[in-house]
Amino acid sequence: MKTAIGYIRVSTEKQVENGQGLEIQEKQIRDYCENNNIELITIYRDEGISGAKDILDRQGLNDAVLYCKEEKPNLFLIPKYDRLARDLMQQMTIEGKLIESGVELISILEPTLNGTDPMRTMMRQLIGMMSQYERSLIKSRTHSGCVATAEKGKKTGGSIPYGYKTIRDKDGKNPKAVIVEEQARIIKEIYKLHIKEQYGFQAIANILNDRNVPTAKNSKWVAGTIQKILHNDYYMGMLNYGNIKVKGEHKAIITEDMFNMAQEVKIRQRYRG
């Protein structure tokens, strides 16, 4: 009886949370093994990881390839080649490592691509090129969409800074940043302590910790967090995306003068240091 390991992957955290894709891919591998009298040793997985990432940045795939090198199973099973990689160079690198280990790579849903003859190898490479092209196209469109969103003064993604929270309409759309008043008071105090009292980052963090003021994640304040707040012009109503710098649609917590004075204090402290 032949032995095999499987590999499955989904790209987004949302897919991970919903179980979208992973359960289906696992079932495809298990059904294939059962129908072909193959002993399935284990299934490696990467959850919320892009197929364009290097193998070293994909723990599940890296472990699977190392297992093949050390234990020599007969087969390495994947649902489709785009689960293995969405970058041609990465795909060819992984295939090469499996060939060196004497392990046969099998795409369950693409049987015509399996094998090492020149024609099938060329077809796999064409599929890899198309996957890479599709990924680049999506990336380009996403970037264009983010630029258009930023130019309207709207945040393009990522976490919302301390002092704000995101609200949406009744349909869960049109996110908007609004001020959290209690946190906004802390932001203003941080700026005042830095500007008027000339306190450094760690000193301000110590003051807030002594008063048991929680951070956004209910943890301790550290110098780095204070530094980011004092250097983030989002608090004076600005929005940055790449080279784009515009006035955001969100309300400012501090004035432009306060922000500029905080930067001057930083320069003076650095000069004295």
Side-chain angles (χ1 to χ4, degrees):
M1 177 183 292
K2 289 186 176 182
T3 59
I5 64 168
Y7 174 73
I8 58 179
R9 178 185 64 82
V10 291
S11 300
T12 67
E13 293 296 338
K14 184 176 181 180
Q15 288 175 317
V16 174
E17 292 172 1
N18 295 339
Q20 182 181 351
L22 283 174
E23 294 178 0
I24 295 173
Q25 292 175 47
E26 181 173 344
K27 185 176 187 302
Q28 289 167 341
I29 289 175
R30 293 190 182 281
D31 287 349
Y32 181 86
C33 290
E34 183 176 344
N35 294 335
N36 291 277
N37 194 32
I38 296 169
E39 179 188 353
L40 179 62
I41 299 169
T42 189
I43 297 177
Y44 293 89
R45 62 180 63 204
D46 281 313
E47 303 179 0
I49 301 292
S50 168
K53 283 187 175 294
D54 187 273
I55 183 173
L56 295 177
D57 296 322
R58 296 160 63 185
Q59 188 65 53
L61 179 59
N62 190 43
D63 289 346
V65 172
L66 286 175
Y67 181 90
C68 288
K69 181 179 180 180
E70 295 171 358
E71 302 298 332
K72 313 292 186 185
N74 299 114
L75 306 173
F76 186 109
L77 303 177
I78 53 175
K80 293 181 68 177
Y81 271 95
D82 63 4
R83 297 304 85 199
L84 186 67
R86 292 184 71 86
D87 177 276
L88 179 59
M89 187 62 69
Q90 290 297 322
Q91 176 182 310
M92 293 175 65
T93 298
I94 297 163
E95 285 188 38
K97 289 180 180 295
L98 294 177
I99 290 172
E100 289 176 2
S101 300
V103 178
E104 183 180 359
L105 177 62
I106 297 291
S107 171
I108 294 171
L109 300 180
E110 300 161 321
T112 58
L113 298 180
N114 298 327
T116 57
D117 63 89
M119 180 60 72
R120 292 173 190 258
T121 299
M122 182 188 72
M123 290 302 298
R124 285 199 304 275
Q125 291 174 357
L126 287 173
I127 294 293
M129 289 174 62
M130 291 304 297
S131 292
Q132 184 171 334
Y133 170 75
E134 181 184 10
R135 180 180 62 84
S136 298
L137 193 61
I138 292 172
K139 185 177 180 181
S140 176
R141 288 172 176 169
T142 300
H143 175 70
S144 298
C146 288
V147 168
T149 299
E151 288 176 341
K152 295 177 183 178
K154 297 181 179 180
K155 205 168 187 306
T156 59
S159 59
I160 198 79
Y162 177 85
Y164 294 90
K165 66 178 180 180
T166 301
I167 61 172
R168 301 175 185 271
D169 61 23
K170 62 180 181 180
D171 296 321
K173 300 179 180 179
N174 301 314
K176 182 180 180 181
V178 297
I179 292 175
V180 179
E181 292 298 337
E182 183 177 350
Q183 294 180 357
R185 286 194 291 271
I186 299 300
I187 295 295
K188 292 176 182 177
E189 182 179 0
I190 289 171
Y191 272 83
K192 288 177 181 177
L193 287 171
H194 191 56
I195 295 168
K196 293 184 178 180
E197 305 298 333
Q198 302 285 295
Y199 284 138
F201 307 140
Q202 188 58 57
I204 296 173
N206 292 340
I207 290 172
L208 297 178
N209 288 330
D210 289 343
R211 286 166 36 198
N212 294 317
V213 175
T215 66
K217 296 182 179 180
N218 291 317
S219 57
K220 293 288 185 181
W221 291 89
V222 296
T225 305
I226 302 298
Q227 182 179 19
K228 288 179 180 178
I229 288 174
L230 290 168
H231 295 169
N232 191 349
D233 60 3
Y234 191 88
Y235 292 115
M236 70 171 189
M238 300 304 295
L239 188 74
N240 296 283
Y241 179 76
N243 296 323
I244 299 172
K245 185 182 181 74
V246 297
K247 182 174 177 56
E249 67 172 6
H250 63 286
K251 291 184 178 180
I253 291 177
I254 61 167
T255 65
E256 183 177 351
D257 285 343
M258 286 185 70
F259 181 81
N260 290 334
M261 283 190 286
Q263 309 320 300
E264 291 173 4
V265 170
K266 177 191 69 174
I267 293 172
R268 287 198 300 270
Q269 290 181 342
R270 181 183 299 172
Y271 180 77
R272 286 200 301 267

